[in-house]
Amino acid sequence: MEKRIKVALVGSSGGHLMHLYQLKPFWMNKERFWVTFDKIDARTLLRGEKIYPCYYPTNKSIKALIINTIIAWKVLKREQPNLIVSSGAAVAVPFFYLGKVFGIKLVYIEVFDRINSPTLTGKLVYPIADQFVVQWKEMKKVYPKAVNLGSIF
């Protein structure tokens, strides 16, 4: 009997969301839901998908971290995914840390525009990610345990 995979795709709108959307061959035949900003680009791109809005702006905001941690708790308890995939940004942090507590597998994809330096979110989730993906061989110096899969674009 094949195990059911339910995927949470978590990311800010804009480029982070587009990174996740590029993984469509992976997620298109799986049960899934999205966590992103309630913005026009996300609503348009994800029309017909199950979406949970998260709080923004998130840039180095303790308020956003607290609110998104509450959202993460509620969404993860309700949906019970067995995999969280994210390419950032800050909204990934509470989902990954609570996901780790709940025993959910975590896959983080460092964004394409980082060639030799880490993002803040990458640094925060690297220690707990089950799989950490980079898109440039140079990033293996920054994240030695990462897997370089090359560009997802």
Side-chain angles (χ1 to χ4, degrees):
M1 180 184 219
E2 189 174 316
K3 185 178 178 184
R4 164 190 81 82
I5 295 177
K6 186 175 191 178
V7 182
L9 296 144
V10 179
S12 306
S13 61
H16 295 282
L17 181 61
M18 190 50 81
H19 267 89
L20 293 174
Y21 197 80
Q22 292 296 317
L23 301 173
K24 190 172 185 177
F26 163 74
W27 56 255
M28 66 186 282
N29 294 321
K30 293 177 177 55
E31 186 178 358
R32 65 191 173 271
F33 64 92
W34 299 79
V35 178
T36 191
F37 301 161
D38 185 14
K39 294 179 120 178
I40 189 70
D41 67 323
R43 289 191 303 269
T44 302
L45 185 66
L46 301 176
R47 185 172 287 123
E49 294 285 321
K50 182 188 274 189
I51 304 169
Y52 289 95
C54 59
Y55 183 84
Y56 69 95
T58 56
N59 294 6
K60 299 177 184 168
S61 166
I62 296 298
K63 177 182 177 183
L65 178 63
I66 292 168
I67 293 170
N68 283 329
T69 299
I70 294 166
I71 291 170
W73 178 270
K74 290 177 181 178
V75 169
L76 294 175
K77 290 299 274 181
R78 177 180 180 160
E79 291 289 341
Q80 299 182 355
N82 32 21
L83 176 62
I84 299 173
V85 179
S86 183
S87 61
V91 68
V93 174
F95 276 85
F96 268 50
Y97 277 84
L98 284 176
K100 194 65 162 180
V101 170
F102 295 151
I104 301 167
K105 294 292 182 194
L106 309 170
V107 175
Y108 187 80
I109 303 165
E110 187 67 289
V111 290
F112 183 74
D113 63 344
R114 289 305 179 111
I115 299 171
N116 57 14
S117 65
T119 60
L120 177 57
T121 302
K123 287 193 293 188
L124 291 172
V125 303
Y126 178 69
I128 63 163
D130 294 295
Q131 190 72 71
F132 197 95
V133 177
V134 295
Q135 299 180 61
W136 295 95
K137 68 179 191 252
E138 293 83 354
M139 290 299 284
K140 290 279 290 169
K141 293 176 188 157
V142 178
Y143 301 113
K145 295 183 293 184
V147 173
N148 176 15
L149 295 181
S151 171
I152 63 172
F153 285 104

